[in-house]
């Protein structure tokens, strides 16, 4: 047993395969997951220019089904889930009664009265418990399906070609944030055009017993176009460059969606009451009148890397805090996301720095995302 393992750690269906590929494993939300296989920079660049293969089986799938499934999700979540068409997906959030963010989610509408809610690994139990609690009085079942799925993602500009060679599903007709049932390399799958890298790509939900077979087929199909296996480390730098929030960093229970600059996900116009409506209406009003700290991008002028929790400073005063930071392989410089006072949030604001162990390193304030792929 390695130093990162504990007896109660969960392992995905691909665990032995990761080890055979020489992956460096790490604990993530109670799961033993691949951090990297070789060079995280090479893995990152492969996703940006070719393709990368990820095991995301630690994510939490929760099925909500029954005549009142849409009404339950409209009540439990901040988005208008009833308006999602069959075969489509929506990014949304589940909040506490006080408006604090419990998790950010993707909800897939699989059928007229059946949805799949995908939660972050670290919050899956919290989300499950909240949905069960909020389901009282609704004719709908909330089912823990975390053990029913393995999740494999193929991301990057070469991913459509790789997947097309293994399926006759209509990938050209599959829009971003949509999913369809199909067969990939003979394996039944929900094929979703979603991802967390800033690139085009797909997430494939399959039964755990089919995971190894599918991973190997994708690996073989991607051999000629530069597909490489990718770990959590490059997943983090990819999402950071794409300006995508990570729960526990940019999103927490102490922030509302409006504090996080994601108020657009809250749909006050939907029918019926929903958990957190009153508090979120107040948060929206506060944000409009007196903006709280704003989530911005920071690009280093030097080489020192900022980390979560480091103070952002200007004129000798603390004006914010770094939420995520890392070297950016694409930009060739350290970057960070940070919440800063509104007065210092405009791109190009001068005199902003990050306090890195007592040294105030100069940073440029930029609009998010740092990186946007060419369509």
């Amino acid at each position: 047993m390695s130093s990162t393992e504990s007896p109660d750690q969960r392992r995905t269906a691909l665990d032995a395969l990761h080890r055979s590929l020489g992956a460096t494993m790490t604990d993530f939300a109670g799961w033993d997951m691949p951090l990297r296989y070789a060079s995280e920079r090479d893995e990152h660049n492969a996703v940006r220019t070719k393709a990368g293969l990820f095991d995301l089986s630690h994510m939490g799938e929760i099925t909500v089904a029954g005549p009142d499934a849409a009404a339950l999700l409209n009540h439990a979540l901040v988005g208008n889930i009833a308006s999602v068409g069959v075969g489509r997906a929506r990014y949304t959030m589940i909040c506490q009664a006080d408006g604090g963010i419990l998790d950010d989610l993707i909800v897939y509408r699989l059928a007229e009265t059946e949805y799949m809610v995908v939660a972050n690994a670290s919050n899956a139990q919290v989300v499950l418990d909240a949905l069960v609690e909020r389901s009282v009085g609704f004719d709908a079942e909330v089912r823990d399906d975390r053990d029913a799925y393995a999740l494999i993602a193929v991301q990057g500009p070469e991913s459509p070609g790789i997947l097309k060679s293994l399926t006759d599903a209509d990938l050209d007709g599959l829009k971003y944030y949509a999913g369809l049932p199909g067969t990939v390399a003979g394996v039944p799958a929900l094929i979703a055009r979603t991802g967390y890298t800033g690139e085009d790509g797909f997430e494939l939900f399959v039964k755990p017993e089919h995971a190894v077979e599918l991973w190997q087929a994708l690996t073989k199909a991607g051999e000629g176009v530069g597909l490489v296996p990718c770990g959590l480390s490059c997943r983090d730098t990819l999402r950071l460059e794409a300006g995508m929030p990570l729960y526990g960093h940019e999103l927490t229970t102490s922030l509302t969606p409006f504090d996080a600059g994601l108020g657009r996900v809250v749909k006050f116009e939907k029918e019926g009451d929903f958990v957190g409506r009153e508090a979120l209406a107040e948060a929206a009003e506060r944000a409009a009148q007196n903006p709280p700290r704003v989530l911005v991008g920071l690009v280093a002028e030097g080489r020192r890397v900022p980390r979560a929790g480091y103070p952002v400073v200007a004129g000798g005063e603390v004006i914010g805090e770094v939420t995520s930071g890392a070297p950016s392989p694409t930009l060739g410089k350290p970057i960070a996301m940070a919440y800063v006072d509104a007065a210092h949030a405009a791109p190009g604001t001068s005199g902003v720095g990050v306090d890195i162990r007592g040294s105030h390193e100069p940073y440029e304030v930029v609009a998010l995302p740092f990186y946007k792929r060419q369509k």
Side-chain angles (χ1 to χ4, degrees), residues 285-340:
E285 199 173 320
R286 278 198 309 274
Q289 291 174 354
N290 183 22
R293 284 183 167 175
V294 178
L295 189 64
V296 301
L298 299 174
V299 177
E301 293 179 20
R303 308 302 306 168
R304 298 187 72 185
V305 178
R307 298 297 181 193
Y310 284 11
V312 181
V313 293
E317 300 288 320
V318 174
I319 59 150
E321 185 176 296
V322 171
T323 53
S324 297
S328 164
T330 305
L331 275 63
K333 298 175 180 179
I335 59 172
M337 286 200 278
Y339 282 108
V340 302

Side-chain angles (χ1 to χ4, degrees), residues 56-243:
L56 306 180
S57 303
H58 60 312
M59 300 295 280
E61 295 87 5
I62 301 161
T63 299
V64 179
D68 290 348
L72 163 57
L73 290 171
N74 263 14
H75 165 71
L77 311 180
V78 301
N80 187 356
I81 308 306
S83 69
V84 178
V86 174
R88 298 307 302 266
R90 183 156 298 164
Y91 176 79
T92 188
M93 294 183 184
I94 183 167
C95 290
Q96 299 178 149
D98 66 1
I101 303 166
L102 278 174
D103 201 12
D104 62 335
L105 312 164
I106 296 179
V107 179
Y108 298 87
R109 190 169 195 168
L110 304 180
E112 194 59 38
T113 60
E114 184 180 359
Y115 296 80
M116 180 169 67
V117 177
V118 181
N120 285 297
S122 55
N123 294 329
Q125 190 63 47
V126 170
V127 173
L128 177 67
D129 291 346
L131 287 174
V132 169
E133 186 182 314
R134 296 173 190 189
S135 69
V136 175
F138 291 92
D139 185 6
E141 176 198 9
V142 177
R143 189 171 72 237
D144 181 359
D145 270 344
R146 283 176 287 180
D147 292 336
Y149 291 102
L151 177 56
I152 295 173
V154 55
Q155 298 277 300
E158 297 287 352
S159 58
I162 292 168
L163 203 54
K164 275 181 187 175
S165 72
L166 297 173
T167 183
D168 57 6
D170 179 18
L171 298 187
D172 290 335
L174 188 63
K175 295 184 172 74
Y176 187 51
Y177 266 72
L180 83 171
T183 303
V184 182
V187 170
L190 171 67
I191 305 167
R193 200 164 207 152
T194 45
Y196 193 52
T197 62
E199 298 299 335
D200 191 11
F202 303 87
E203 295 183 321
L204 308 171
F205 296 85
V206 299
K207 288 182 177 178
E209 57 264 34
H210 294 149
V212 170
E213 178 188 346
L214 180 58
W215 179 283
Q216 289 172 336
L218 288 162
T219 299
K220 191 167 181 359
E223 272 173 1
V225 291
L227 175 82
V228 301
C230 293
L232 293 180
S233 186
C234 84
R235 181 169 157 87
D236 192 49
T237 52
L238 289 160
R239 71 92 194 166
L240 177 54
E241 287 184 351

Side-chain angles (χ1 to χ4, degrees), residues 94-102 252-253 255-257 259 275-276 279-280 283:
I94 183 167
C95 290
Q96 299 178 149
D98 66 1
I101 303 166
L102 278 174
T252 68
T253 51
L255 296 170
T256 73
D259 297 325
V275 177
L280 288 167

Side-chain angles (χ1 to χ4, degrees), residues 10-32:
R10 298 189 70 182
R11 296 185 175 191
T12 77
L14 293 161
D15 183 78
L17 193 149
H18 297 316
R19 292 168 195 277
S20 74
L21 292 171
T24 299
M25 306 297 286
T26 189
D27 174 75
F28 186 82
W31 289 82
D32 206 21

